[in-house]
Amino acid sequence: MRTSQPQTIYLNDYRVPAFLVDHVDLRFELFEDGARVHSVLSMRRNPDSGDRSGALELDGDSLRLESVALNGSPLSAGQYEDHGDRLVVAGVPEAFELAVVTWIEPQNNTRLEGLYKSSGMFCTQCEAEGFRCITYFPDRPDVMARFRTRIEADKTAYPILLSNGNDTEQGDLADGRHYVTWEDPFPKPCYLFALVAGNLLEKRDTFTTLSGRAIDLRMYVEPRNAEKCDYAMDSLKRSMRWDEQVYGREYDLDIFMIVAVDDFNMGAMENKGLNIFNSSCVLASQDTATDLAFQRIEAIVAHEYFHNWSGNRVTCRDWFQLSLKEGFTVFRDSQFSSDMGSPTVKRIEDVTLLRTAQFAEDGGPMAHPVRPASYMEISNFYTLTIYEKGAEVVRMIHTLLGPELFRKGSDLYFDRHDGQAVTTDDFVTAMEDASGRDLSQFRLWYEQAGTPVLDVSDHYDAQGGTYSLSITQNIPDTPGQKDKKPQHIPFALGLLDSQGQDMALNLAGEGDEAPTERVLDLTEVSHTFEFTGVSERPVPSLLRHFSAPVRVVYHWTREQLLFLMSHDTDGFNRWDAGQRLAVDVIQSLVGAPVDAEIEPRLAAAYRQLLSDESLDQALVAKMMQLPSEAYLIELANSPDVQAIHRARERVLSHLADALRPDLLNCYQRHGTDGDYGLSPQEVSGRSLRNTALAWLLHIDDKEGRDLAIRQFGEADNMTDRLGALRALVNSGFVSDREQALEQFYQRYSEDPQVVEQWFSVQASNPATGNLEQIRRLVTHDAFDWKNPNKVRSVIGVFAGQNLASFHAADGSGYRFLAEQVSRLDNSNPQIAARLVSPLTRWRKFAPVHGEQMKTALERIRDKTGLSRDVYEVVHKSLAG
Ligand code: BES
Ligand code: ZN
């Protein structure tokens, strides 16, 4: 608990560590009423440090110190200072051994950082600064040490004892206890340390590396989850093969383990050789997991596995460099997912998240660069900017260099820095050195926050056959940053003729070699590009594949958008044209009279999409998703949430009315014959069929209702069952909805992952998730304030997805969120701080709402004993 104002930490204050740790010897005695941790650190002064005589300082948090010994001699109380968050020992020699014993209480650890208990098992989460909750240690990523870990516990209650590396010894102890010793040969920062102890079921498999080494793959889950491991295990093997083939990276230890735990602040964690996963991100079966959940599991398993190189073998020098491992690894897992499925669909999903949530972050009070310059609490910086924008920055390097030079760059990076803790700048330098390209201006992407806006205008000269495109970039001010320099933006484009063919892109002054797609380098504030030999006025297809994380402003006519939607040769931009058209139509109805006409060509375009079976059905499934309320709000200035909600609902009803026969037809066409499978065709078939169902029930169609009830009862998989449930919940068939919700709960009440989905369905919908209903959900037997997944599935979903209810006119949604944040801050500050986010953009909203949101933030601010996590978010949101 905080006693004084939290300190800000600055990148500019970075100093190399004064002491290094060569070896760590840990012994854990695990009991029901606590754990004793014996740590022996082999340390020496860092020859590279300017500080050659200072005292030794170790980080600690919530520890009870039992003893300290230097080179075997116990220190008396006067020979060290225990400041709680720091242990100081003065007068240590050049090299020495420090032995520290601490007592901790994992069973009472509700923050879920350090060592804690989840459903009866012991587990750890040490990133970013959780290791200091276990023992005193220089808890910073540039201190890398070899770890040996001995775990002792009751043999019946905790038959499985795991840590990083290889198990080297085990045996029985007195009183029914036993021990296992693990040794990790690779030096690592302490944030990659992990320990697990429990009564777990083991699933085994093997993987043979390209060089012929056999790796033992093991998953550990609670016995009731025995049937939910296969998909993650297969995903792991696909990831291992892919990293060998695409990046030339082999796995390095003999064992790779995955453990599933129910209580986890994040999705999963890449601890060396012992990845720990949130159950919801690893356990799946046909009956309990949706297609989306399967995809997510594949991506997260890959992500954590890929960290073994991008994060573990080469790690971060300090936490300002977080995107070095996270941005790069998100880029790697997105490449992997596109290779495993449809690249266009994967790109659409990534860009949707980026434009909806990261752009919002980048335009709000928490905006920060991909490499931040300061922070108060590092846990608050695991953001969409670090992850998603960070991945886009790596993607742009890939675009600028091309795949071969990028691979040369990544090889050089891994070779040059293996075993080191480095910076994003080292990464860019490796890319420059391997390619010969100058990325000095490009580095601004790491330093400047804010989403660049590209204003595009064009002019066609029929006489001269020239087409000119003017592009101006402007980067908005963000907290602490003004008057930004222009960034290096790779801008991919094509020009379509009236037949929908790509035209040759000849720039004035060039030879005749003329590609039909090219990437322009934008480096100045303004550029004008003149294309020659252009025989008719083209329709521009701008920022193809979303080649840079920017906003493009160009005044497309609706004709042009309709044309691109059905003709663009870039699948991503086809989708984008459809989104822009839908956004334009919905926006034009916001605040309009209820009988205002709705653009008839929108329904016609969707009808064509639904009827043309030659189209890529995965792309069609994506194109049929209307832009979300969250995205529409993000695009608006002073958004009127209720009006946006109504306008979007109106368009949906209009489309469903107009397309009723086509939707029924689409539903039948994508029927459920044959066994369940996860091929792209099957997944997109289910997606289309469930979208059709949702649209039909949106207009309370009777035939749709019968189909939904039948599908709900007969489905052989969770995608269809939940699709039917969601459609019923979205309909006016109140008693069917209540009955289905009840049946669903009865059927799955023993399965936490499914119960979480049941909570989410209700919390996301205004009909089942008004505040009164939300208050009932949080008192439901299955709800648990100590479980982050439950909190997210009700409160997070309510505030983040059920926007019409959250932004209720009387401000009750905001007050409710403030109450819950204050309550959660006492038990789990990380989760509390993340929940504040919907309130942080109060300035964006119309005066009344904005003031109410601000008041809610102030109520949180005024709580006594606010954590550093929540303090930082609330104070930055209110500042300025
Ligand atoms: N290293 C993180 C997990 C983490 C984040 C631990 C913050 C502690 C604090 C892990 O690699 C990660 O990024 N996980 C993501 C999922 C991933 C697919 C983007 C997560 O947990 O959401
Ligand atoms: Zn990660």
Side-chain angles (χ1 to χ4, degrees), residues 359-637:
F359 281 16
E361 182 172 276
D362 230 352
M366 292 296 288
H368 55 276
V370 170
R371 190 196 61 203
S374 69
Y375 61 78
M376 287 182 182
E377 170 52 59
I378 186 57
S379 300
N380 288 330
F381 281 76
Y382 288 75
T383 59
L384 290 145
T385 299
I386 301 294
Y387 277 71
E388 311 304 324
K389 187 175 182 179
E392 293 296 323
V393 170
V394 177
R395 171 181 296 276
M396 287 189 284
I397 297 179
H398 186 272
T399 301
L400 291 171
L401 268 54
E404 284 85 25
L405 288 177
F406 183 87
R407 169 66 194 270
K408 257 184 89 183
S410 72
D411 283 351
L412 180 62
Y413 168 72
F414 287 126
D415 292 350
R416 184 182 274 177
H417 298 298
D418 193 6
Q420 297 178 2
V422 302
T423 63
T424 54
D425 211 48
D426 293 320
F427 179 81
V428 178
T429 302
M431 289 292 165
E432 282 182 320
D433 290 351
S435 67
R437 293 275 316 233
D438 174 5
L439 296 173
S440 42
Q441 185 185 7
F442 186 83
R443 281 180 167 82
L444 289 170
W445 279 105
Y446 288 93
E447 292 158 29
Q448 298 190 149
T451 306
V453 179
L454 300 184
D455 279 297
V456 182
S457 60
D458 58 353
H459 175 75
Y460 179 62
D461 173 3
Q463 222 96 76
T466 60
Y467 177 72
S468 64
L469 206 56
S470 298
I471 309 178
T472 301
Q473 64 166 294
N474 164 49
I475 308 174
D477 293 347
T478 47
Q481 283 190 339
K482 285 216 267 251
D483 304 326
K484 295 175 196 183
K485 300 189 191 117
Q487 290 179 184
H488 181 178
I489 299 172
F491 188 84
L493 88 165
L495 299 176
L496 298 181
D497 69 15
S498 52
Q499 305 303 303
Q501 301 292 315
D502 274 322
M503 301 169 88
L505 303 180
N506 235 325
L507 280 174
E510 283 184 344
D512 350 287
E513 150 256 2
T516 56
E517 180 176 311
R518 54 195 300 167
V519 180
L520 305 173
D521 284 293
L522 309 182
T523 53
E524 314 281 331
V525 172
S526 292
H527 289 266
T528 297
F529 298 95
E530 193 172 71
F531 297 95
T532 56
V534 184
S535 53
E536 56 174 311
R537 171 175 255 292
V539 178
S541 169
L542 305 176
L543 200 75
R544 278 188 168 169
H545 337 290
F546 205 71
S547 62
V550 299
R551 296 178 198 262
V552 173
V553 180
Y554 172 81
H555 295 287
W556 279 283
T557 63
R558 287 187 179 174
E559 285 76 25
Q560 285 179 317
L561 290 174
L562 286 157
F563 180 81
L564 290 170
M565 206 177 152
S566 52
H567 291 99
D568 202 321
T569 52
D570 175 36
F572 176 84
N573 266 6
R574 264 173 108 137
W575 168 83
D576 193 40
Q579 291 290 297
R580 285 177 191 269
L581 180 65
V583 165
D584 187 31
V585 170
I586 296 170
Q587 280 176 343
S588 70
L589 293 169
V590 172
V594 282
D595 56 355
E597 203 216 359
I598 299 180
E599 168 64 72
R601 288 171 298 180
L602 187 66
Y606 280 122
R607 180 174 297 116
Q608 205 200 325
L609 278 176
L610 279 174
S611 62
D612 187 347
E613 291 184 49
S614 72
L615 295 174
D616 172 1
Q617 295 297 294
L619 182 56
V620 174
K622 283 291 167 202
M623 294 186 77
M624 294 300 292
Q625 309 289 322
L626 286 189
S628 68
E629 284 175 17
Y631 184 53
L632 291 159
I633 290 169
E634 206 287 310
L635 290 176
N637 294 315

Side-chain angles (χ1 to χ4, degrees), residues 201-203 219 221-230 283-284:
L201 184 116
E202 182 183 75
K203 290 266 171 180
M219 282 184 69
V221 298
E222 290 175 54
R224 62 187 166 86
N225 294 319
E227 306 311 315
K228 290 178 153 195
C229 298
D230 293 351
L283 301 176

Side-chain angles (χ1 to χ4, degrees), residues 615-851:
L615 295 174
D616 172 1
Q617 295 297 294
L619 182 56
V620 174
K622 283 291 167 202
M623 294 186 77
M624 294 300 292
Q625 309 289 322
L626 286 189
S628 68
E629 284 175 17
Y631 184 53
L632 291 159
I633 290 169
E634 206 287 310
L635 290 176
N637 294 315
S638 247
D640 176 342
V641 176
Q642 310 301 334
I644 289 175
H645 175 73
R646 283 193 301 270
R648 186 180 180 278
E649 297 278 292
R650 246 203 94 202
V651 169
L652 206 50
S653 300
H654 160 81
L655 290 173
D657 271 326
L659 301 177
R660 190 179 172 275
D662 309 86
L663 294 168
L664 285 167
N665 189 292
C666 165
Y667 185 88
Q668 303 303 352
R669 192 147 41 98
H670 296 285
T672 54
D673 37 355
D675 286 342
Y676 176 79
L678 282 163
S679 68
Q681 298 88 301
E682 291 164 289
V683 171
S684 45
R686 280 190 291 275
S687 168
L688 275 170
R689 150 193 180 83
N690 284 302
T691 301
L693 201 60
W695 286 26
L696 287 167
L697 289 202
H698 195 78
I699 51 168
D700 292 346
D701 185 79
K702 295 279 189 313
E703 208 173 326
R705 166 187 174 269
D706 295 343
L707 292 171
I709 289 176
R710 192 153 107 217
Q711 178 176 318
F712 180 73
E714 293 177 4
D716 70 349
N717 67 84
M718 184 49 83
T719 305
D720 285 335
R721 195 180 314 277
L722 201 67
L725 179 67
R726 207 177 272 284
L728 285 166
V729 165
N730 276 312
S731 77
F733 300 114
V734 178
S735 67
D736 294 322
R737 165 221 295 171
E738 298 305 321
Q739 209 182 329
L741 280 168
E742 179 59 25
Q743 280 176 15
F744 189 92
Y745 182 72
Q746 290 312 328
R747 183 179 170 123
Y748 294 107
S749 58
E750 298 304 311
D751 188 312
Q753 286 84 58
V754 184
V755 171
E756 283 152 23
Q757 308 197 58
W758 179 78
F759 276 131
S760 299
V761 169
Q762 298 174 76
S764 63
N765 195 292
T768 49
N770 65 33
L771 190 55
E772 196 186 319
Q773 292 160 316
I774 296 292
R775 286 194 188 276
R776 271 207 297 280
L777 287 180
V778 297
T779 58
H780 191 278
D781 281 346
F783 190 82
D784 177 2
W785 287 103
K786 297 279 154 62
N787 180 262
N789 290 1
K790 298 295 184 301
V791 171
R792 278 187 281 255
S793 65
V794 178
I795 299 171
V797 167
F798 167 70
Q801 293 175 36
N802 187 354
L803 299 167
S805 301
F806 175 61
H807 292 277
D810 59 1
S812 54
Y814 311 143
R815 280 196 298 278
F816 172 76
L817 188 63
E819 266 168 54
Q820 308 322 322
V821 167
S822 301
R823 165 209 293 256
L824 281 160
D825 195 40
N826 298 322
S827 54
N828 190 329
Q830 284 186 9
I831 295 297
R834 282 179 179 267
L835 282 181
V836 180
S837 147
L839 292 171
T840 58
R841 297 216 69 197
W842 61 275
R843 280 195 180 82
K844 182 182 171 74
F845 289 87
V848 185
H849 285 264
E851 281 304 313

